[in-house]
Amino acid sequence: MKAGKAIAASKITECANSVSSVRCFGANGLRGYVPRSNQSGNAVLIGRQGALCGNVYFVDGDYYATEHAVVAAPREGVDCCYLFYALAAANLNQFKTAGAQPGLSVERLKKVKVALPDVETQRRIAKTLEQFDVLINDISQGLPAEIEARRKQYAYYRDKLLSFKEKVA
């Protein structure tokens, strides 16, 4: 784990363009775009400043992490997607320091315990959670799946409600 690097706000653009096309992440996720990256590969970013510190983001490829984000690159035997879900579930905001500007230090974050099953189990868990995430957050996939589930539920209860035991007299 390590903190990102400071960058002047004037170097961050709201939209990607021919000069600034690299994603720039701060304490609350994507801040905008910058000319050059300072990180590459898969990692989990943790917001470390402000009331919302402890936010967790999965990033891949080239990106810039500001000083308000902690980069958690997985070590050998740790699946990055699993790490993302485990840290998101850990409610990292509870480890913030009190004060007018709450914050999370790298040292405090290093003390957070995360269960680490074998890497195949980690991948299976991450894949299952990704599938749920798609169903919940991607309306083009989630809505048809929800409609189909409600149709099956309707058919089940319809058949249960309309089936009667015959009385033998």
Side-chain angles (χ1 to χ4, degrees):
M1 284 192 195
K2 61 182 177 182
K5 304 255 185 235
I7 187 168
S10 62
K11 294 190 177 186
I12 303 171
T13 63
E14 189 174 318
C15 299
N17 58 48
S18 60
V19 175
S20 297
S21 60
V22 175
R23 297 166 300 156
C24 178
F25 293 90
N28 294 314
L30 184 66
R31 278 192 65 190
Y33 299 87
V34 296
R36 285 187 288 281
S37 66
N38 68 351
Q39 304 288 324
S40 184
N42 294 343
V44 176
L45 296 184
I46 304 164
R48 62 181 289 228
Q49 287 295 147
L52 300 176
C53 64
N55 289 334
V56 180
Y57 305 93
F58 178 84
V59 293
D60 61 352
D62 293 335
Y63 58 95
Y64 194 99
T66 71
E67 75 277 17
H68 298 295
V70 173
V71 180
R75 62 179 185 243
E76 190 175 326
V78 179
D79 181 80
C80 195
C81 289
Y82 173 83
L83 180 63
F84 163 72
Y85 288 112
L87 289 174
N91 184 24
L92 297 176
N93 188 268
Q94 69 179 315
F95 299 106
K96 69 184 176 197
T97 57
Q101 181 71 313
L104 283 170
S105 69
V106 172
E107 291 309 310
R108 277 185 179 237
L109 289 171
K110 283 182 178 179
K111 294 177 183 173
V112 174
K113 303 279 187 217
V114 173
L116 281 178
D118 65 88
V119 74
E120 287 306 315
T121 302
Q122 291 176 43
R123 288 183 183 132
R124 193 177 74 250
I125 291 168
K127 183 178 179 181
T128 301
L129 292 172
E130 284 174 343
Q131 290 170 341
F132 279 122
D133 194 42
V134 167
L135 286 174
I136 291 169
N137 295 314
D138 185 347
I139 195 163
S140 67
Q141 291 186 21
L143 191 56
E146 184 64 23
I147 290 169
E148 180 61 25
R150 292 306 132 236
R151 284 185 179 142
K152 287 180 181 177
Q153 186 180 36
Y154 167 76
Y156 171 82
Y157 284 111
R158 178 196 62 217
D159 293 346
K160 282 284 191 189
L161 289 169
L162 296 176
S163 60
F164 302 97
K165 291 183 180 178
E166 292 183 28
K167 281 190 169 181
V168 179

